[in-house]
Amino acid sequence: MILLGVNIDHCATVRQARYRAAAGAEGGAVEPDPVAFALLAERAGADGITVHLREDRRHIQERDVWRLRERIATRLNLEMACTPAMTAFALQLKPEYVCIVPENRQEVTTEGGLDVVGNRDRVRACVEAMNAAGIKASLFIDPGAPQIELSAELGAPFIELHTGAYANAYYSPARAGEFERLRAGCVQAQAAGLAVNAGHGINYVNIAEVRTLPHLHELNIGHSIVSRALFTGAGEAVREMKAQMNP
Ligand code: PXP
């Protein structure tokens, strides 16, 4: 069975769009609460909750992460940049998993995989710190052979293959090639002793093919689940407001 990590960043994106100035506030008017979203996701079968505490704090805030640490019953997966500050934060927080991602302040979302080969020493230091603390580290990488090989060599127990290029190519002739790169990456990673997760851009259409990748442990999915929730909940939200306007 493939596990599902629900990424709740974009629930926080909606909150920040209105309540950026209300840092630290919660409950009442400050909505939607990503922690409440996480608890609903768990009740619906999520195997874990994933959040990216970005350097610019554009969606998830530190306070959200601490509240999640206290409240969720599954596993917390903290996506983080490979920096001393984030490493120190993770060691304090002690999530079950960290996923080390590249971070570029200008990007709208995580656009490419981590360059493990070009950042070998920094990544090694982070993985070793996590291993020593009993936190399972995953490296978010594109499915290239050298990146996978080095990820195993550095002692990371997991990789997360970046499915963004595949998702972007889904309706183009490049799709088959991108899928093959992912498939080969899964096979190589498993042979190297790595557990294989995947994520980014997975949705209700491409999941039919993504799920056929070999050796998948977990998929981390955020944007499409938060987007779908808007539509599955829209009718009820309007009905409830109309009813309260005209009791
Ligand atoms: N996995 C990682 C490492 C990510 O950075 C992201 C995006 O934040 C995701 C999974 C989820 O991607 P999406 O929101 O497109 O499902």
Side-chain angles (χ1 to χ4, degrees):
M1 187 146 131
I2 305 170
L3 303 179
L4 171 62
V6 175
N7 180 315
I8 61 171
D9 291 349
H10 292 303
C11 179
T13 301
V14 176
R15 178 192 60 192
Q16 295 306 99
R18 169 67 47 105
Y19 293 108
R20 189 172 299 279
E26 66 179 271
V30 181
E31 60 186 5
D33 177 12
V35 178
F37 194 98
L39 299 179
L40 283 173
E42 284 189 324
R43 253 196 271 160
D47 299 291
I49 300 299
T50 296
V51 285
H52 185 178
L53 184 64
R54 295 187 66 103
E55 190 191 359
D56 62 10
R57 304 295 194 264
R58 73 174 64 153
H59 38 54
I60 291 291
Q61 308 296 305
E62 265 180 55
R63 178 175 174 72
D64 296 324
V65 184
W66 285 108
R67 288 176 59 229
L68 286 166
R69 176 66 300 180
E70 259 174 46
R71 302 282 304 277
I72 68 171
T74 56
R75 298 173 286 97
L76 182 59
N77 176 26
L78 177 70
E79 291 179 4
M80 53 175 258
C82 187
T83 61
M86 281 310 304
T87 301
F89 179 80
L91 292 175
Q92 257 191 311
L93 179 75
K94 294 197 183 355
E96 283 75 13
Y97 294 91
V98 294
C99 181
I100 302 172
V101 300
E103 208 173 286
N104 165 2
R105 228 182 283 204
Q106 306 311 321
E107 69 192 5
V108 175
T109 181
T110 311
E111 277 159 10
L114 181 70
D115 180 9
V116 181
V117 175
N119 295 279
R120 172 195 289 253
D121 292 339
R122 282 174 57 201
V123 176
R124 185 202 305 276
C126 191
V127 168
E128 285 177 355
M130 296 305 150
N131 283 346
I135 299 168
K136 294 191 178 75
S138 173
L139 305 180
F140 185 51
I141 56 173
D142 291 319
Q147 302 287 349
I148 296 171
E149 196 182 313
L150 186 58
S151 298
E153 207 181 300
L154 296 185
F158 282 82
I159 55 165
E160 178 167 327
L161 289 179
H162 195 315
T163 48
Y166 161 80
N168 287 340
Y170 191 80
Y171 293 105
S172 84
R175 166 178 160 190
E178 292 295 343
F179 185 78
E180 176 51 28
R181 275 186 357 114
L182 288 167
R183 195 201 60 76
C186 289
V187 170
Q188 183 195 347
Q190 209 257 354
L194 290 159
V196 189
N197 296 337
H200 202 95
I202 299 172
N203 59 36
Y204 292 84
V205 175
N206 63 31
I207 186 61
E209 188 167 57
V210 169
R211 70 168 184 234
T212 67
L213 287 168
H215 314 303
L216 279 181
H217 173 77
E218 180 169 89
L219 296 177
N220 279 304
I221 307 179
H223 187 268
S224 67
I225 290 178
V226 173
S227 303
R228 177 61 63 102
L230 289 178
F231 286 91
T232 52
E236 191 50 38
V238 171
R239 262 190 296 279
E240 196 180 323
M241 183 55 80
K242 197 87 196 277
Q244 292 205 30
M245 286 163 60
N246 306 286

